[in-house]
Amino acid sequence: MKRFIKYFLLSIFIIPVSLTSAQESIAEDKANYVFLFIGDGMGVAQVNAAEAYLAAVNGEAGFHNLTFTRFPATGYMSTFAGNRFITGSAASGTALATGYKTNISRISMDPDGVKPLKTIAERSKEIGMKVGIISNVSIDHATPAVFYAHQPKRSMYFEIGYDLVQSDFDFFGGGGFIKPQGTIGEVVIDLMEEARKNGFTVVNTRDGFNDLDNTSGRAIAISPRLDKNGAMPYTLDMTPDDLSLADFTVKAIELLNNEAGFFIMVEGGKIDWACHANDGACCIQEVIALDKAIEAAFGFYEAHPQQTLIVVTADHETGGMALGNNTVHYDLNIELLKYQKSSNDHFNEIVADFREKLSGNDTIDYAKMLEIIRNDFGLGHKNKVPLTEEDMKRIKTAFYTSMYPGDDPSTNLTYGGYEPLTITLSQLLNEKAGIGWTSYSHTGVNVPVYAIGVGAEKFSGTIDNTDIPKIIESVMR
Amino acid sequence: MKRFIKYFLLSIFIIPVSLTSAQESIAEDKANYVFLFIGDGMGVAQVNAAEAYLAAVNGEAGFHNLTFTRFPATGYMSTFAGNRFITGSAASGTALATGYKTNISRISMDPDGVKPLKTIAERSKEIGMKVGIISNVSIDHATPAVFYAHQPKRSMYFEIGYDLVQSDFDFFGGGGFIKPQGTIGEVVIDLMEEARKNGFTVVNTRDGFNDLDNTSGRAIAISPRLDKNGAMPYTLDMTPDDLSLADFTVKAIELLNNEAGFFIMVEGGKIDWACHANDGACCIQEVIALDKAIEAAFGFYEAHPQQTLIVVTADHETGGMALGNNTVHYDLNIELLKYQKSSNDHFNEIVADFREKLSGNDTIDYAKMLEIIRNDFGLGHKNKVPLTEEDMKRIKTAFYTSMYPGDDPSTNLTYGGYEPLTITLSQLLNEKAGIGWTSYSHTGVNVPVYAIGVGAEKFSGTIDNTDIPKIIESVMR
């Protein structure tokens, strides 16, 4: 009987409570400062790998939480595209930016690639907020592009870049442009020139970056060091001179902080690249780099908890990553990844250098390569990652395949189109560390969502990538 | 869906108004009826595979939601054991049942295997609730055992079974006993006899099962059909005559429903078994079977929303499963799994039968086996799953290895200790369907948590397996 009375009282009291001023102010809380972090290719395993690695190298049990894995609201998000179950960054990014499902390769355009779809960043701008777009891959790459550009194909880099310099957004930061020059009709266009004409301050040096402040107006800040794809270096290859994803995020907050609010999107784009190459060590460092950028946003949230929303998610998973494989069975040795000193990209250059010398009729110094491998991966170092005879055979075969590529199509199948020696070393280290991979491509598993701040709880449960901008908009002023 | 959202919003708004009198009465809402569902080995990919499969065979895009993936609260749960990062069912089950981390193989005992740890089921019993424990693997298996038994090793099946028949719990259902007889000192004990002596009604027929009702008193209901491991048949091998996990759940609710409340644990134990064998088709059917059991609990929740809590989680992930692999790249064909007609266990019997005939000096009828393969897996059927020459070679090699096992240790490595032909067929079908696997063992990735009902929102965020019984207890009366 008591129970019945209690519920009766409850039902009476629920209604009056909703009319109290406390409740009203809660219901009216609106996010004035919105951060959307996208870990490209970041599934649950990528996040957990970073946490397990940090715990292992710190001598802790289990997982060392990242900033964003301590967020109170968590969800599962489906990522499928309009015309393919396993999505790509353009289609999934379009869903995250516009709330619409589209087909593979579209940049915020409808499935037919005809009609542009308005993005959450453009809507933010319309209501007077400032907008910043940051990525550590090139700024015209699919994920950043879906927030400011509208093109039928992600490969239309010049057109995407032109949309960027024509946009009324306030800050672009991180990587550079894949096609900084192009033509419209017969007119040759230089995007940087065009950007300056349209009122952007453009910097690509550390001094220029340091000089940017909230009096600089609209700005494009490009990393002083870029790789051949216009991307910032892998975190594993960075020196203290390099600007990090966190540096760009801190700068965006400084430049865009204003009473009318802001929308800032930050992409950790190299998680995906590392996972395509099944490179666990690089993947982990890229997740940690994204977390450091999130830390900057979290500091801002702590100062403005009732006006800030931070959402962290991914566009899809890459690689079918797992913490366990048939080499280690039940004994994960994730700390072995610490012996990898550089990214696969950087090691490719070493391999290319060897191959170069070869065409100059130099003799192949395989012993020298084994020494580099011991140093750069710990592989073959008896106190780091000892190798079996079988392992040594795999390395030797891959080395000679890298030196004399030939044109056997089965080589491409075996090595997934990657530099045979590099991918073999990466695979060997991952196998021994216990990191499993099922694919060089994306996979279709749901990706995680983490949120804190105004409306964070709405990201709980099982949602779709098209829900993200809808929920954000519902809690924005 | 609206219902979920409404309920969840209510629970969100509760926090800020925690000082009003209404809030106080809400804060006293307590879960009188608690369901804990454990999908053994069920990571995010296992759940998504079931949803993607259902959508694909129904001709829908993306995912067909299960009952539990529509629950409003979702979390990520770490599973590591006291002495190993990649856990086992005993250690992780102990965490789920007691709130303590322990070492591999312990059944609700401390890491040294000395001190028993009280379980949430025992606490429920202490405060007058009824308790039911259900599993579709043997009822003395690690996951069910951790709720009622205290033993240093999971392999002590007789001692675990003896703990079961000595317990004061109200219902045990599903699988049978691995060691139904044993000795204590010099006394031979028959567990079923002992159970009856201790007041249990014991049934193992459909009629006996049907006759059980809320006047039957305490009961042990064993599936009329069991495999050689004392487990219920795989869902894929079931006939309309078999009792399902849902049947046992419905029966438990009928028998245990009383004003003092109940705690019911239901394990979907064969998800793990299917994933150890990298058998995607079986895994999916087992996830769906668990969901049907959850549907029964959800019906009860709908009738008692303010007194019921349903939590769905897993003890660990098994297999490093992914929706994507290097055979299909971006083109998942998960609907191909529909051509698999029986479990790997069932197919093993067919292979054993062939081998048997062989020792009787029969000639090997490989053509006959290919016909069975076409029929049971669709492999080699031109309208179902066409095979390449390379595939045919793999099948032939595996077939002859199954027929003439020999004692080459590399065979074990190649086939993971499984029947060579069966595992090869399963792998081929999984590869073509796009299901990737990294391991025959468990992996260390966080597993999902889904919750609905009283206190559900407390399962949001990143939690540990030891948090589960603590949170449940905090919301129980």
Side-chain angles (χ1 to χ4, degrees):
Chain A
M1 193 57 193
K2 259 190 182 163
R3 190 164 297 274
F4 286 115
I5 291 168
K6 204 172 77 187
Y7 287 114
F8 187 55
L9 286 177
L10 171 65
S11 59
I12 288 166
F13 280 111
I14 280 176
I15 301 152
V17 170
S18 70
L19 298 175
T20 68
S21 59
Q23 179 61 20
E24 274 168 23
S25 87
I26 291 157
E28 282 171 20
D29 254 10
K30 290 287 176 186
N32 203 33
Y33 307 107
V34 177
F35 293 91
L36 175 59
F37 289 89
I38 302 176
D40 200 309
M42 186 175 77
V44 185
Q46 281 77 0
V47 174
N48 288 172
E51 295 181 296
Y53 176 81
L54 287 173
V57 296
N58 290 340
E60 303 160 13
F63 296 99
H64 182 94
N65 276 354
L66 300 169
T67 297
F68 66 91
T69 60
R70 281 179 274 137
F71 286 2
T74 46
Y76 292 84
M77 189 181 82
S78 51
T79 65
F80 61 94
N83 59 344
R84 208 174 66 191
F85 184 82
I86 298 179
T87 194
S89 293
S92 190
T94 296
L96 292 169
T98 72
Y100 289 96
K101 286 277 181 212
T102 192
N103 287 352
I104 294 301
S105 189
R106 304 282 177 258
I107 299 293
S108 288
M109 291 195 86
D110 70 350
D112 295 329
V114 174
K115 216 184 93 189
L117 303 167
K118 192 167 277 185
T119 79
I120 181 90
E122 290 165 337
R123 285 184 199 276
S124 303
K125 199 64 210 168
E126 279 176 2
I127 59 168
M129 294 166 89
K130 293 198 173 186
V131 169
I133 303 294
I134 298 167
S135 174
N136 55 3
V137 298
S138 69
I139 198 70
D140 50 10
H141 220 258
T143 309
V146 294
F147 288 89
Y148 62 78
H150 303 276
Q151 297 296 343
K153 283 189 190 168
R154 61 177 290 174
S155 56
M156 296 169 71
Y157 290 112
F158 172 71
E159 289 77 5
I160 290 168
Y162 191 73
D163 281 351
L164 187 154
V165 298
Q166 294 291 323
S167 84
D168 58 356
F169 290 7
D170 302 277
F171 183 74
F172 293 94
F177 292 81
I178 291 177
K179 280 191 81 177
Q181 277 92 28
T183 55
I184 294 180
E186 308 240 309
V187 189
V188 177
I189 307 273
D190 179 274
L191 292 181
M192 293 309 91
E193 222 169 80
E194 203 69 16
R196 290 191 182 94
K197 238 190 270 172
N198 292 330
F200 284 104
T201 301
V202 182
V203 301
N204 66 350
T205 63
R206 186 171 256 277
D207 285 346
F209 179 84
N210 290 343
D211 288 347
L212 288 177
D213 62 26
N214 58 9
T215 66
S216 304
R218 303 200 301 139
I220 299 174
I222 299 171
S223 165
R225 191 155 72 103
L226 297 173
D227 69 16
K228 63 181 188 300
N229 301 306
M232 286 166 55
Y234 275 105
T235 304
L236 205 53
D237 300 331
M238 280 192 182
T239 69
D241 283 341
D242 285 306
L243 292 170
S244 69
L245 202 59
D247 291 328
F248 284 100
T249 307
V250 168
K251 186 60 82 180
I253 295 170
E254 185 192 344
L255 266 62
L256 306 187
N257 189 3
N258 77 109
E259 282 195 2
F262 59 65
F263 173 89
I264 297 175
M265 191 292 298
V266 181
E267 187 206 16
K270 299 197 98 168
I271 301 167
D272 174 66
W273 294 16
C275 292
H276 273 290
N278 293 181
D279 178 347
C282 253
C283 159
I284 285 169
Q285 293 306 325
E286 293 304 319
V287 171
I288 295 169
L290 179 66
D291 190 55
K292 286 189 175 151
I294 294 167
E295 227 178 286
F298 183 69
F300 185 89
Y301 159 81
E302 287 191 299
H304 310 83
Q306 270 140 355
Q307 296 158 276
T308 306
L309 168 66
I310 308 176
V311 181
V312 181
T313 190
D315 49 357
H316 52 73
E317 198 273 348
T318 304
M321 192 187 202
L323 302 188
N325 64 25
N326 281 326
T327 304
V328 304
H329 306 291
Y330 289 95
D331 299 309
L332 199 75
N333 303 309
I334 198 164
E335 66 283 358
L336 296 183
L337 295 179
K338 74 181 173 205
Y339 296 121
Q340 184 175 327
K341 297 283 180 242
S342 67
S343 72
N344 46 77
D345 264 13
H346 180 258
F347 199 80
N348 285 345
E349 290 170 19
I350 296 173
V351 178
D353 204 45
F354 258 69
R355 191 165 40 226
E356 191 83 359
K357 278 186 186 157
L358 207 83
S359 59
N361 263 335
D362 245 307
T363 50
I364 302 181
D365 194 346
Y366 184 51
K368 171 77 187 158
M369 179 54 92
L370 288 179
E371 194 192 317
I372 295 172
I373 291 169
R374 273 194 299 277
N375 187 52
D376 282 20
F377 289 90
L379 290 164
H381 188 299
K382 68 179 190 320
N383 300 323
K384 293 178 178 172
V385 195
L387 294 172
T388 65
E389 264 181 54
E390 193 57 42
D391 299 332
M392 288 299 292
K393 262 191 237 166
R394 266 174 73 188
I395 291 175
K396 198 164 190 171
T397 303
F399 174 74
Y400 282 95
T401 312
S402 274
M403 291 303 107
Y404 303 99
D407 49 10
D408 181 356
S410 74
T411 302
N412 192 41
L413 276 176
T414 308
Y415 299 109
Y418 290 95
E419 183 68 73
L421 180 58
T422 313
I423 193 85
T424 299
L425 297 172
S426 185
Q427 281 170 348
L428 264 171
L429 185 61
N430 277 259
E431 285 166 18
K432 287 171 189 295
I435 307 297
W437 301 93
T438 71
S439 181
Y440 294 124
S441 308
H442 306 160
T443 76
V445 78
N446 283 357
V447 294
V449 185
Y450 306 86
I452 193 168
V454 185
E457 68 286 349
K458 298 190 179 188
F459 295 89
S460 270
T462 302
I463 61 176
D464 184 59
N465 53 8
T466 54
D467 293 326
I468 295 285
K470 292 176 196 162
I471 301 174
I472 292 176
E473 210 173 335
S474 77
V475 300
M476 263 166 56
R477 69 169 172 82
Chain B
M1 193 58 197
K2 262 196 178 152
R3 178 182 325 116
F4 293 123
I5 291 165
K6 205 171 71 191
Y7 177 73
F8 193 53
L9 284 177
L10 171 64
S11 57
I12 289 157
F13 284 113
I14 278 171
I15 301 153
V17 288
S18 67
L19 297 176
T20 70
S21 60
Q23 178 56 23
E24 276 166 22
S25 87
I26 292 162
E28 281 170 20
D29 251 13
K30 291 288 177 186
N32 202 35
Y33 307 107
V34 177
F35 292 91
L36 175 58
F37 289 90
I38 302 176
D40 201 309
M42 186 176 77
V44 184
Q46 281 76 1
V47 174
N48 287 172
E51 294 181 297
Y53 176 80
L54 287 174
V57 296
N58 290 339
E60 302 160 12
F63 296 99
H64 182 95
N65 276 353
L66 300 169
T67 296
F68 66 91
T69 59
R70 281 179 275 139
F71 286 3
T74 47
Y76 292 85
M77 189 181 82
S78 52
T79 66
F80 59 95
N83 60 343
R84 208 174 67 191
F85 183 82
I86 298 179
T87 194
S89 292
S92 190
T94 296
L96 292 170
T98 72
Y100 289 96
K101 285 278 180 211
T102 193
N103 287 352
I104 293 301
S105 190
R106 305 280 178 260
I107 299 294
S108 288
M109 292 195 85
D110 70 349
D112 296 330
V114 174
K115 218 184 92 190
L117 303 167
K118 192 167 277 185
T119 78
I120 181 89
E122 290 165 337
R123 285 184 199 276
S124 302
K125 198 68 209 166
E126 280 176 2
I127 59 168
M129 293 163 90
K130 293 200 173 185
V131 169
I133 304 294
I134 297 168
S135 175
N136 54 2
V137 298
S138 69
I139 197 71
D140 49 10
H141 220 258
T143 308
V146 294
F147 288 88
Y148 61 78
H150 303 278
Q151 297 295 341
K153 283 186 190 169
R154 61 178 289 175
S155 56
M156 297 169 70
Y157 290 112
F158 173 71
E159 290 76 4
I160 290 168
Y162 192 73
D163 281 352
L164 185 155
V165 298
Q166 294 291 322
S167 83
D168 59 356
F169 290 6
D170 301 276
F171 183 74
F172 292 94
F177 292 80
I178 291 176
K179 280 191 81 177
Q181 277 92 27
T183 55
I184 294 180
E186 308 239 311
V187 188
V188 178
I189 306 273
D190 179 275
L191 292 181
M192 293 308 92
E193 222 168 82
E194 202 69 17
R196 289 191 183 96
K197 238 189 270 172
N198 292 329
F200 283 104
T201 302
V202 182
V203 300
N204 68 348
T205 62
R206 186 171 256 276
D207 285 346
F209 179 84
N210 290 343
D211 288 346
L212 288 177
D213 61 26
N214 59 10
T215 67
S216 305
R218 304 201 300 138
I220 299 173
I222 299 171
S223 164
R225 191 154 71 104
L226 297 172
D227 69 16
K228 62 182 190 298
N229 301 305
M232 286 164 55
Y234 275 106
T235 304
L236 206 52
D237 300 330
M238 280 193 181
T239 69
D241 283 342
D242 285 306
L243 291 169
S244 69
L245 202 60
D247 291 329
F248 284 100
T249 307
V250 168
K251 186 61 80 178
I253 295 171
E254 184 191 345
L255 266 62
L256 306 186
N257 189 4
N258 77 110
E259 279 196 4
F262 59 66
F263 173 90
I264 297 176
M265 192 293 296
V266 182
E267 186 206 17
K270 300 197 99 169
I271 300 167
D272 175 66
W273 294 17
C275 292
H276 273 290
N278 293 182
D279 178 348
C282 254
C283 159
I284 285 169
Q285 293 305 326
E286 293 306 319
V287 171
I288 295 169
L290 180 65
D291 190 55
K292 286 189 176 151
I294 294 167
E295 227 178 284
F298 182 68
F300 186 88
Y301 159 81
E302 286 191 300
H304 311 83
Q306 271 141 352
Q307 297 158 275
T308 306
L309 169 65
I310 308 176
V311 181
V312 181
T313 188
D315 48 357
H316 52 74
E317 197 273 349
T318 304
M321 192 188 203
L323 302 188
N325 64 24
N326 280 326
T327 304
V328 304
H329 305 292
Y330 289 95
D331 299 310
L332 200 74
N333 304 310
I334 199 165
E335 67 284 356
L336 295 184
L337 296 178
K338 73 181 172 203
Y339 295 122
Q340 184 175 326
K341 297 282 180 244
S342 67
S343 73
N344 46 76
D345 265 14
H346 180 259
F347 200 80
N348 284 345
E349 289 169 22
I350 295 172
V351 177
D353 203 46
F354 258 69
R355 191 166 40 230
E356 193 83 359
K357 278 186 185 155
L358 206 82
S359 60
N361 263 337
D362 244 307
T363 50
I364 302 181
D365 193 347
Y366 184 51
K368 170 80 187 156
M369 179 54 92
L370 288 180
E371 191 192 319
I372 295 172
I373 291 170
R374 273 194 299 276
N375 186 52
D376 281 20
F377 289 89
L379 290 164
H381 188 299
K382 68 179 189 322
N383 300 324
K384 294 178 177 174
V385 196
L387 295 172
T388 65
E389 264 181 53
E390 193 56 42
D391 299 333
M392 288 299 292
K393 263 191 234 165
R394 266 173 74 186
I395 292 175
K396 198 165 192 172
T397 304
F399 174 74
Y400 282 95
T401 311
S402 273
M403 291 305 107
Y404 304 99
D407 49 11
D408 181 355
S410 75
T411 301
N412 192 42
L413 275 177
T414 307
Y415 298 108
Y418 290 94
E419 183 68 71
L421 180 58
T422 313
I423 193 86
T424 299
L425 298 172
S426 185
Q427 280 171 348
L428 264 172
L429 185 61
N430 277 260
E431 285 165 18
K432 288 172 189 294
I435 306 297
W437 301 94
T438 70
S439 181
Y440 295 122
S441 307
H442 306 160
T443 75
V445 78
N446 283 357
V447 294
V449 186
Y450 306 86
I452 192 167
V454 185
E457 68 287 350
K458 298 190 178 187
F459 295 89
S460 269
T462 303
I463 62 175
D464 185 57
N465 54 7
T466 55
D467 293 325
I468 295 285
K470 292 175 195 163
I471 301 174
I472 291 176
E473 210 172 335
S474 77
V475 300
M476 260 166 58
R477 68 167 173 85

